[in-house]
Amino acid sequence: MKKRFITICLTFVMALSGLALVACGDDSSDVNPYESYQTTLASMRENKTLFKNGTTDYGMESDFYLNNFYDKNAEGIKVEGNQNYIFLTAYGLNYINKYYTYLSDLSGYDFSGLNSALESLTSYLPVIDLASENIVSADQIANISVYRSYFVEYEANAKELINIVFDNALALSDFLINERGLTAGLGTETQTQEQITFYIENEVLYAINDVRVILMESAKGKVLTGNDIYDGAVKLLSYYGGLVTNNSYITSITAETMADSINLSNLLAGERTTTRKANSSFSIYDYENDKNILLDGDNRAYYAQLQKYYSMDNNFLQQYYNYLATNIYE
């Protein structure tokens, strides 16, 4: 196993040597990571122990469906792990796989944020790959508790992978908006369907990332069914996951409609900033282990903000979904 781990590490180092050299240099800002994305995604696709082609919840197809992601019950029967992990991994990598192609032939931009995020991903891949290899090997072990301990490790590594993948997706989104200017002209008569698609898919990315923050950070990747914020986040994931699968926009989205959409998105972004502050200071996992933390006034305020954003009737993400479903998607 140790020999295989070393081999995996060497494979990634050799395949991504261009990125590694950049990372060790003085400045990666002018080095386009397009080829490094291409190599990394191809390597991930070819890793059949870690990934397979499959259909996630909500009907989303992906080459990045977590493979061998199975726990065992008390009778020793294999049960597929948390579907939220599978969907979030596949969704984030699908986004990267689609939009990294927009980097082709670009020069003269600041690529440092992309290179930093991609380096984190490539550095972590041997870790998650080893966890997937271990669970395959453990399947031959009769002791269920030993197998389950390996699955706990695999699940923890998958949680970290999800967070790193979303860091990459968000870095790519920021670059294409702020550096590449792909949304310039949106909401005017010069807007294009490509701009509309990119903008809406980015807004969905931000909303799904909001859900990821609850499931993978605030809940620490644990199932907290019965907690209103957790349950609200899971429900919202099904809504936005449905939009991803739908992928069919109203035939003619006018400049006026897009201008309204941008205004609404900006309002949501402001509320997102406030919610991020609550998320950074309050964990629903900690709350479920000690309800007394709400005796603190600040914690009550944080919890109330999370409820407004995720779980109350007509919460902010629910309202935004309703708008998209009515005005943007068929």
Side-chain angles (χ1 to χ4, degrees):
M1 186 65 70
K2 182 177 181 182
K3 181 178 179 181
R4 171 166 175 76
F5 177 67
I6 293 173
T7 302
I8 293 167
C9 289
L10 289 174
T11 299
F12 278 108
V13 168
M14 292 173 64
L16 304 171
S17 57
L19 179 61
L21 289 172
V22 168
C24 294
D26 293 330
D27 186 15
S28 65
S29 62
D30 61 345
V31 179
N32 187 335
Y34 171 80
E35 291 186 1
S36 294
Y37 274 112
Q38 192 173 46
T39 303
T40 301
L41 291 165
S43 297
M44 295 171 79
R45 231 183 253 103
E46 292 166 4
N47 187 342
K48 300 304 182 184
T49 302
L50 181 57
F51 294 113
K52 64 181 179 180
N53 177 268
T55 303
T56 71
D57 274 4
Y58 325 121
M60 185 183 72
E61 290 281 341
S62 179
D63 289 334
F64 306 103
Y65 188 109
L66 277 177
N67 200 9
N68 298 304
F69 193 62
Y70 289 93
D71 197 357
K72 285 187 177 180
N73 61 22
E75 289 73 38
I77 299 172
K78 291 167 66 174
V79 181
E80 194 164 38
N82 191 322
Q83 292 295 311
N84 295 332
Y85 281 72
I86 293 171
F87 176 82
L88 289 171
T89 303
Y91 169 77
L93 289 171
N94 275 7
Y95 177 92
I96 295 168
N97 188 58
K98 178 176 182 177
Y99 283 112
Y100 91 90
T101 58
Y102 283 60
L103 302 176
S104 180
D105 298 324
L106 293 185
S107 61
Y109 293 91
D110 181 1
F111 298 107
S112 56
L114 292 178
N115 282 318
S116 177
L118 186 53
E119 183 186 3
S120 296
L121 177 59
T122 56
S123 297
Y124 195 73
L125 287 176
V127 178
I128 184 70
D129 186 60
L130 181 61
S132 68
E133 289 285 345
N134 284 343
I135 200 71
V136 172
S137 298
D139 196 24
Q140 308 305 314
I141 300 173
N143 190 313
I144 295 174
S145 63
V146 173
Y147 177 93
R148 298 196 71 183
S149 69
Y150 277 109
F151 178 76
V152 169
E153 179 184 4
Y154 188 13
E155 187 179 58
N157 288 321
K159 176 171 74 71
E160 184 61 22
L161 176 66
I162 289 167
N163 295 335
I164 293 172
V165 164
F166 270 80
D167 285 345
N168 274 265
L170 293 168
L172 182 56
S173 169
D174 288 345
F175 175 87
L176 293 176
I177 292 173
N178 298 320
E179 291 284 335
R180 185 68 177 84
L182 282 187
T183 57
L186 194 65
T188 72
E189 295 302 325
T190 63
Q191 69 180 11
T192 66
Q193 186 59 47
E194 182 182 47
Q195 289 176 319
I196 293 170
T197 300
F198 174 73
Y199 182 80
I200 295 303
E201 290 186 358
N202 273 273
E203 291 304 310
V204 172
L205 168 68
Y206 302 151
I208 290 178
N209 184 58
D210 289 334
V211 173
R212 177 201 63 82
V213 170
I214 291 296
L215 301 183
M216 297 296 140
E217 295 182 15
S218 188
K220 300 185 179 181
K222 306 300 182 183
V223 175
L224 300 180
T225 304
N227 176 278
D228 63 328
I229 294 170
Y230 179 89
D231 291 343
V234 171
K235 182 167 68 173
L236 288 164
L237 187 62
S238 72
Y239 293 156
Y240 283 96
L243 292 183
V244 172
T245 303
N246 180 355
N247 198 31
S248 179
Y249 304 108
I250 292 174
T251 304
S252 178
I253 299 177
T254 66
E256 182 180 7
T257 297
M258 283 311 304
D260 289 341
S261 299
I262 292 169
N263 287 334
L264 185 58
S265 296
N266 289 340
L267 290 173
L268 182 64
E271 200 63 37
R272 178 174 290 123
T273 299
T274 302
T275 305
R276 281 287 183 273
K277 293 177 182 177
N279 270 313
S280 66
S281 303
F282 187 91
S283 161
I284 62 172
Y285 178 86
D286 292 341
Y287 166 71
E288 286 301 310
N289 283 279
D290 180 12
K291 300 294 179 63
N292 288 329
I293 66 175
L294 287 192
L295 295 176
D296 178 83
D298 287 341
N299 285 335
R300 286 198 302 275
Y302 297 143
Y303 199 89
Q305 176 62 31
L306 296 179
Q307 288 177 314
K308 287 195 299 180
Y309 200 75
Y310 292 101
S311 62
M312 289 178 62
D313 290 342
N314 293 318
N315 62 75
F316 289 107
L317 282 181
Q318 174 73 62
Q319 291 182 57
Y320 190 64
Y321 164 79
N322 291 342
Y323 175 83
L324 292 178
T326 302
N327 297 282
I328 303 298
Y329 289 86
E330 290 184 327

